[in-house]
Amino acid sequence: MNGSDKDESKAMILLLGLRRGGKSSICKVLFHNMQPLDTLYLESTSNPTMEHFSTLIDLAVMELPGQLNYFEPSYDSERLFKSVGGLVYVIDSQDEYMNAITNLAMIIEYAYKVNPTINIEVLIHKVDGLSEDFKIDAQRDIMQRTGEELLELGLDGVQVSFYLTSIFDHSIYEAFSRIVQKLIPELSFLENMLDNLIQHSKIEKAFLFDINSKIYVSTDSSPVDIQMYEVCAEFVDVTIDLFDLYKSSQHTDKDGKVVQARPRELKNVSELGNGVILYLRQMIRGLALVAVIRPNGADMESCLTVADYNVDIFKKGLEEIWSNSRITS
């Protein structure tokens, strides 16, 4: 395996969990834009399935069926767990979850043995049906019981991240954004570039979105406010819907051949009722920069002129990071 293959294989996430935990629904909503209610009619997965998407890394998400025994001799578990960067385990918060926690601990024990650098992520899923108090109690209980199981196995030093998620709000996108970011080697460069962009513009918050999945692959170093993220994610949806309404123009050349016009850049600017400006610009490889601009007394035109200039510089930096990562991988 050469260096390139090795790097690309590490950008894979395993999606695990017991049957009917919600794994297939998560994949359909994230990667196929399926409406959450339509996932109620999905059949249980019987074979491993793979989802791919390409941003600054080529990422694969492999969903393994809940009934699959990863440790039977005929299954090459060692090769599988060695080749992934992240292990995401889905626990149904509305079900009896002790069996799931025992299963999770057993998988962590094996995965950590063959791949000590693997990221362990746990989605405490289907929390939309729980009250706020119950969500917090469920999270505390699952974290405590998981810790106790790992302690018994001598794995108390293993880092496990927990997320409360649902496909009926933006929490699943937020969780997967954080999971994907851990697999991007250039993340610190991107964060510094976004900090620099904000410093020289009247931007309050900036996200670098994967347009198709609404996962953000990077943001600046200020804390993420979930409501601000939701507004920006919905702005991506609105922009794409409007963009798809208009066909690219075409014309006929002197030989009578139909010539397509140069592809339009995806761009949208919208001023909200409170004076805040939402700004979206297409970047590279299916990415878009979405920024929240707060003019604070400055006129909109001058804010956008400065933003356009600085975003052009940011885009060039992004192209440079991309070309360098291709050379060195």
Side-chain angles (χ1 to χ4, degrees):
M1 181 183 282
N2 63 32
S4 175
D5 290 341
K6 186 171 182 238
D7 288 342
E8 294 207 357
S9 70
K10 283 293 177 189
M12 183 159 89
I13 290 170
L14 273 186
L15 191 61
L16 308 168
L18 300 184
R19 287 183 75 250
R20 310 304 300 172
K23 301 183 297 297
S24 299
S25 302
I26 289 169
C27 285
K28 291 297 183 187
V29 168
L30 280 177
F31 303 112
H32 298 275
N33 293 316
M34 182 180 276
Q35 291 302 308
L37 281 173
D38 292 341
T39 64
L40 297 172
Y41 309 107
L42 289 175
E43 292 181 10
S44 192
T45 306
S46 55
N47 293 305
T49 59
M50 189 87 86
E51 304 290 349
H52 295 271
F53 80 104
S54 297
T55 56
L56 286 174
I57 54 170
D58 294 314
L59 179 73
V61 178
M62 180 188 279
E63 179 197 345
L64 296 182
Q67 66 272 24
L68 184 69
N69 181 0
Y70 321 113
F71 307 116
E72 64 182 29
S74 62
Y75 203 78
D76 193 355
S77 297
E78 185 172 344
R79 189 177 64 85
L80 177 67
F81 283 95
K82 267 185 175 173
S83 69
V84 300
L87 187 159
V88 179
Y89 194 93
V90 182
I91 294 178
D92 184 347
S93 65
Q94 298 187 34
D95 202 0
E96 168 51 52
Y97 45 69
M98 274 315 298
N99 285 343
I101 291 171
T102 304
N103 181 243
L104 166 64
M106 186 174 66
I107 290 170
I108 291 175
E109 181 184 28
Y110 182 80
Y112 198 70
K113 188 169 65 182
V114 299
N115 184 359
T117 61
I118 196 169
N119 297 322
I120 311 288
E121 323 277 1
V122 176
L123 304 185
I124 302 168
H125 197 50
K126 301 186 185 178
V127 296
D128 47 279
L130 308 180
S131 68
E132 285 303 316
D133 286 347
F134 209 96
K135 280 183 198 177
I136 293 164
D137 288 346
Q139 183 174 20
R140 189 186 297 122
D141 191 41
I142 289 169
M143 287 174 71
Q144 185 180 333
R145 289 174 187 270
T146 303
E148 288 167 359
E149 290 270 352
L150 293 177
L151 188 61
E152 279 185 28
L153 295 168
L155 295 169
D156 48 313
V158 176
Q159 290 292 314
V160 182
S161 301
F162 294 85
Y163 310 83
L164 290 168
T165 59
S166 167
I167 57 171
F168 289 95
D169 58 29
H170 285 84
S171 58
I172 191 63
Y173 297 98
E174 165 74 7
F176 251 85
S177 296
R178 293 181 184 278
I179 290 164
V180 168
Q181 284 165 30
K182 292 179 185 178
L183 301 177
I184 299 175
E186 298 86 4
L187 188 65
S188 59
F189 292 110
L190 294 173
E191 189 177 290
N192 288 337
M193 284 167 62
L194 287 166
D195 281 344
N196 200 34
L197 173 66
I198 282 174
Q199 193 180 341
H200 294 92
S201 314
K202 288 189 176 290
I203 294 173
E204 183 176 319
K205 187 71 185 165
F207 295 94
L208 196 57
F209 274 95
D210 172 65
I211 294 171
N212 294 322
S213 67
K214 295 200 295 290
I215 287 170
Y216 65 92
V217 299
S218 184
T219 184
D220 60 89
S221 58
S222 66
V224 173
D225 175 73
I226 189 68
Q227 287 181 314
M228 192 176 282
Y229 164 71
E230 287 172 3
V231 168
C232 292
E234 282 165 13
F235 191 55
V236 172
D237 274 343
V238 169
T239 302
I240 291 169
D241 289 345
L242 287 171
F243 191 76
D244 289 345
L245 283 175
Y246 301 96
K247 290 183 178 175
S248 293
S249 58
Q250 54 187 40
H251 64 276
T252 308
D253 66 9
K254 60 183 181 183
D255 299 322
K257 290 179 181 173
V258 174
V259 179
Q260 292 288 344
R262 191 162 155 251
R264 293 169 297 144
E265 182 190 56
L266 192 64
K267 184 178 180 182
N268 194 8
V269 175
S270 181
E271 186 175 14
L272 304 182
N274 59 1
V276 168
I277 299 166
L278 294 180
Y279 176 100
L280 183 149
R281 275 273 300 277
Q282 186 174 343
M283 297 286 111
I284 62 169
R285 285 180 66 79
L287 295 172
L289 177 84
V290 182
V292 178
I293 301 173
R294 207 173 285 274
N296 292 331
D299 68 280
M300 183 172 172
E301 194 175 335
S302 65
C303 285
L304 293 178
T305 302
V306 171
D308 279 336
Y309 176 79
N310 288 328
V311 169
D312 282 340
I313 295 170
F314 175 82
K315 187 175 181 180
K316 284 182 184 134
L318 209 53
E319 286 164 351
E320 213 169 290
I321 282 181
W322 168 247
S323 61
N324 286 342
S325 72
R326 294 295 89 190
I327 293 164
T328 57
S329 65

